mmCIF file with all atom_site columns, all heavy atoms in Angstrom:
data_model
loop_
_atom_site.group_PDB
_atom_site.id
_atom_site.type_symbol
_atom_site.label_atom_id
_atom_site.label_alt_id
_atom_site.label_comp_id
_atom_site.label_asym_id
_atom_site.label_entity_id
_atom_site.label_seq_id
_atom_site.pdbx_PDB_ins_code
_atom_site.Cartn_x
_atom_site.Cartn_y
_atom_site.Cartn_z
_atom_site.occupancy
_atom_site.B_iso_or_equiv
_atom_site.pdbx_formal_charge
_atom_site.auth_seq_id
_atom_site.auth_comp_id
_atom_site.auth_asym_id
_atom_site.auth_atom_id
_atom_site.pdbx_PDB_model_num
ATOM   1  N  N   . CYS A 1 315 ? 8.964  9.594  -27.745 1.00 95.00 ? 324 CYS A N   1
ATOM   2  C  CA  . CYS A 1 315 ? 8.908  9.289  -29.263 1.00 95.00 ? 324 CYS A CA  1
ATOM   3  C  C   . CYS A 1 315 ? 7.475  8.746  -29.538 1.00 95.00 ? 324 CYS A C   1
ATOM   4  O  O   . CYS A 1 315 ? 7.042  7.727  -28.979 1.00 95.00 ? 324 CYS A O   1
ATOM   5  C  CB  . CYS A 1 315 ? 9.923  8.288  -29.689 1.00 95.00 ? 324 CYS A CB  1
ATOM   6  S  SG  . CYS A 1 315 ? 9.572  7.769  -31.339 1.00 95.00 ? 324 CYS A SG  1
ATOM   7  N  N   . CYS A 1 318 ? 7.818  5.061  -31.227 1.00 92.00 ? 327 CYS A N   1
ATOM   8  C  CA  . CYS A 1 318 ? 8.185  3.771  -30.450 1.00 92.00 ? 327 CYS A CA  1
ATOM   9  C  C   . CYS A 1 318 ? 8.083  4.012  -28.998 1.00 92.00 ? 327 CYS A C   1
ATOM   10 O  O   . CYS A 1 318 ? 8.465  3.005  -28.308 1.00 92.00 ? 327 CYS A O   1
ATOM   11 C  CB  . CYS A 1 318 ? 9.525  3.310  -30.972 1.00 92.00 ? 327 CYS A CB  1
ATOM   12 S  SG  . CYS A 1 318 ? 10.834 4.398  -30.371 1.00 92.00 ? 327 CYS A SG  1
ATOM   13 N  N   . ASN A 1 320 ? 9.816  5.550  -27.034 1.00 93.00 ? 329 ASN A N   1
ATOM   14 C  CA  . ASN A 1 320 ? 11.104 5.784  -26.382 1.00 93.00 ? 329 ASN A CA  1
ATOM   15 C  C   . ASN A 1 320 ? 11.029 6.975  -25.445 1.00 93.00 ? 329 ASN A C   1
ATOM   16 O  O   . ASN A 1 320 ? 10.506 8.084  -25.864 1.00 93.00 ? 329 ASN A O   1
ATOM   17 C  CB  . ASN A 1 320 ? 12.216 5.898  -27.507 1.00 93.00 ? 329 ASN A CB  1
ATOM   18 C  CG  . ASN A 1 320 ? 13.449 6.223  -27.004 1.00 93.00 ? 329 ASN A CG  1
ATOM   19 O  OD1 . ASN A 1 320 ? 13.897 5.685  -25.843 1.00 93.00 ? 329 ASN A OD1 1
ATOM   20 N  ND2 . ASN A 1 320 ? 14.205 7.061  -27.607 1.00 93.00 ? 329 ASN A ND2 1
ATOM   21 N  N   . CYS A 1 328 ? 14.680 10.562 -32.595 1.00 93.00 ? 337 CYS A N   1
ATOM   22 C  CA  . CYS A 1 328 ? 14.602 9.350  -31.827 1.00 93.00 ? 337 CYS A CA  1
ATOM   23 C  C   . CYS A 1 328 ? 15.827 8.275  -32.232 1.00 93.00 ? 337 CYS A C   1
ATOM   24 O  O   . CYS A 1 328 ? 16.113 8.170  -33.345 1.00 93.00 ? 337 CYS A O   1
ATOM   25 C  CB  . CYS A 1 328 ? 13.259 8.502  -32.043 1.00 93.00 ? 337 CYS A CB  1
ATOM   26 S  SG  . CYS A 1 328 ? 13.364 6.971  -31.116 1.00 93.00 ? 337 CYS A SG  1
ATOM   27 N  N   . CYS A 1 331 ? 14.157 5.065  -33.788 1.00 93.00 ? 340 CYS A N   1
ATOM   28 C  CA  . CYS A 1 331 ? 13.356 5.017  -34.989 1.00 93.00 ? 340 CYS A CA  1
ATOM   29 C  C   . CYS A 1 331 ? 13.487 6.301  -35.847 1.00 93.00 ? 340 CYS A C   1
ATOM   30 O  O   . CYS A 1 331 ? 12.936 6.327  -36.907 1.00 93.00 ? 340 CYS A O   1
ATOM   31 C  CB  . CYS A 1 331 ? 11.824 4.608  -34.742 1.00 93.00 ? 340 CYS A CB  1
ATOM   32 S  SG  . CYS A 1 331 ? 10.946 6.018  -33.994 1.00 93.00 ? 340 CYS A SG  1
HETATM 33 ZN ZN1 . ZN  B 2 .   ? 11.223 6.223  -31.656 1.00 72.05 ? 30  ZN  B ZN1 1
#
Side-chain angles (χ1 to χ4, degrees):
C324 172
C327 69
N329 176 37
C337 177
C340 73

